[in-house]
Amino acid sequence: MDRVSTPAARTDQRPLYTAGGLAAAWAAGVGMAVLLTFTLIGWVAAPHDALGKEIADVARTAVQAWLVGHLVGFGIPGGEVMMLPLGLVVLPGLLLYRAGRWLGRTGEPTRLRHTFRAAIALAGPYAAISGTLALIAQTEVIRPSVPQALFAGFVLAFLAGGLGVLRQQLIDKRIPVRRMLELMPDRPRSLLAGTAGATGVLLLSGAVLFFSGLAAGFGEAAAVTRELAPGPVGGTLLFIVQLLFLPNALVFGLAFAVGPGFAVGAGTMVAPTGVAVGAVPMLPMLAALPDNGPAPLPALAALAAPFAAGAVGGVLTQRSAPTVVSEAAPLWGFVCGVATGLVCAALSLLAGGPIGAHRLAEVGPSAWQVGLITALEVGVSAAIAAWLANWRHFRRTAAEGGEDGEESGEPPGGQEDPGGGPEEDSEEFAGITYEAEPER
């Protein structure tokens, strides 16, 4: 799957859709093998009744874990489980990325525009495999959602696999990634940079909140671990499970920093306005939750994170695409805030959800509340920051233009020499060679 992309290595070309099916089967098979290995380790280390007395039950549990890695929820008697570890998505994502790289070499999508077709060729069979495994994993107690398995498998394979195909195409054609970004229109690229920067600041604030809370409750986390007495193998598996739930915890911290907070059960709330939680599952990482009562005073400093995120997003939005109309700069800054709100709402939707019936039917942040408040807080601060950054840019440009005009004897903003621009019939643009159309 990982051979060097040279002309000699391209002698085993296959039809695109045949190669896509093989790549999908490889990604699903390797992922299943990895999870089956961990499941067998847990089955050997724990009492066998925990996973069933027969190896078929162990295999079915591995299939269910594979589906969980694709964020496929499942129903249980009286409720459903939708809060799944976001960290487990990394495994199928990396495998699909590698499968996409292989497909880019073997399936030979010769042009960049064929990347879409190659991603479809990989995502279609992968979705079929995901739906079939959801049917196989059905039991009387656990019922994975087949429609969700089809949708999640297709989307993940299309995105991760398509990214792998595109990356391989860029390598084969010796096109730097930076060149591809430069091909994007200025405004979408600037909004992408601003949204990524603002979201990164918010996730960083969530990480600071979680790890500071875990440090404050380290004694409680150690006591829970001693009470569980997992042993060496069980302790390793417990650490891995908590590591997989770490992205969920960062999103929960983000929701606290934005304002709405999150729930850890019906009728509970962890927010800057106060903390009210009851009994929680025995998981050491939950020691990061604050005690009931007013929110800890140091944690309230995180309320400044959305405004800092807006400042970063606004500056990044205008840095790569300044606008000569000063009134438009705050508008684009606010659009950056709205886009950040949509991203945070999607993250909240993926990170939370029910994990059973009754009290645990409500866990995590409210996606619409997080999205709305993030859009307002980040949008307003981003609008101000974008206006200031745009004003400062053109003021500096005007000053530099005046100095250049005095030295060269030309007025500021003079036109360039018509003969100094690039030739219209150039056969290369951004590292992509093409045939120029003949003049008529």
Side-chain angles (χ1 to χ4, degrees):
M1 274 279 181
D2 210 9
R3 293 169 300 179
V4 179
S5 177
T6 62
R10 289 181 175 272
T11 59
D12 58 343
Q13 297 294 330
R14 297 180 177 88
L16 181 60
Y17 289 96
T18 301
L22 292 174
W26 177 86
V30 173
M32 185 64 65
V34 172
L35 292 175
L36 181 59
T37 301
F38 280 102
T39 306
L40 283 172
I41 293 174
W43 181 68
V44 171
H48 290 185
D49 289 339
L51 293 177
K53 296 181 179 180
E54 299 182 1
I55 197 65
D57 297 328
V58 179
R60 187 176 289 109
T61 302
V63 173
Q64 293 167 354
W66 187 90
L67 293 170
V68 168
H70 293 70
L71 302 182
V72 177
F74 53 90
I76 60 175
E80 58 182 358
V81 176
M82 296 297 295
M83 180 181 168
L84 305 171
L86 294 180
L88 195 55
V89 181
V90 174
L91 174 62
L94 289 177
L95 291 174
L96 286 167
Y97 175 80
R98 299 306 302 173
R101 292 281 303 273
W102 179 82
L103 178 60
R105 294 190 295 268
T106 306
E108 196 182 12
T110 55
R111 302 192 180 188
L112 291 175
R113 69 184 183 203
H114 295 164
T115 301
F116 181 83
R117 268 177 39 193
I120 293 291
L122 174 61
Y126 196 84
I129 294 173
S130 181
T132 303
L133 291 178
L135 290 173
I136 295 175
Q138 299 277 347
T139 66
E140 295 181 358
V141 178
I142 299 176
R143 302 179 302 278
S145 172
V146 176
Q148 194 173 0
L150 291 170
F151 177 77
F154 183 88
V155 171
L156 184 59
F158 182 83
L159 295 177
L163 184 62
V165 174
L166 178 61
R167 179 57 179 159
Q168 186 61 43
Q169 287 286 13
L170 295 180
I171 292 175
D172 291 343
K173 297 179 183 299
R174 294 180 174 85
I175 303 174
V177 176
R178 179 176 56 84
R179 291 289 188 181
M180 287 298 297
L181 294 176
E182 290 175 356
L183 289 178
M184 292 180 61
D186 290 342
R187 185 54 61 192
R189 186 175 70 246
S190 68
L191 288 174
L192 178 63
T195 302
T199 305
V201 172
L202 291 175
L203 287 174
L204 179 62
S205 68
V208 171
L209 280 172
F210 171 72
F211 286 110
S212 60
L214 190 60
F218 182 78
E220 183 180 350
V224 171
T225 305
R226 286 193 298 268
E227 187 173 352
L228 290 174
V233 177
T236 303
L237 293 177
L238 179 63
F239 174 78
I240 293 175
V241 169
Q242 294 181 100
L243 191 63
L244 295 177
F245 273 105
L246 179 60
N248 301 64
L250 300 188
V251 177
F252 281 30
L254 178 153
F256 183 95
V258 172
F262 57 91
V264 287
T268 66
M269 181 57 64
V270 179
T273 54
V275 179
V277 297
V280 296
M282 293 187 65
L283 198 61
M285 68 184 302
L286 294 181
L289 292 173
D291 297 329
N292 290 339
L297 189 60
L300 297 180
L303 294 177
F307 303 100
V312 171
V315 171
L316 291 177
T317 298
Q318 288 308 116
R319 174 177 294 178
S320 58
T323 174
V324 295
V325 182
S326 60
E327 293 82 1
L331 174 62
W332 290 118
F334 189 80
V335 172
C336 169
V338 173
T340 305
L342 292 175
V343 172
C344 292
L347 291 175
S348 300
L349 188 64
L350 294 174
I355 53 177
H358 307 298
R359 184 175 180 274
L360 294 179
E362 183 181 348
V363 178
S366 170
W368 74 268
Q369 291 182 9
V370 170
L372 178 60
I373 297 179
T374 300
L376 293 176
E377 293 179 342
V378 176
V380 171
S381 55
I384 298 174
W387 181 82
L388 291 174
N390 195 70
W391 171 79
R392 185 172 180 273
H393 168 79
F394 281 102
R395 184 181 181 187
R396 184 176 63 252
T397 302
E400 293 175 354
E403 294 176 358
D404 294 341
E406 292 176 359
E407 294 176 359
S408 62
E410 297 180 358
Q415 296 181 353
E416 296 180 357
D417 182 8
E423 297 181 2
E424 294 181 357
D425 59 347
S426 174
E427 296 184 353
E428 184 174 346
F429 176 71
I432 304 175
T433 305
Y434 61 94
E435 294 184 359
E437 295 184 359
E439 296 182 0
R440 297 181 179 178

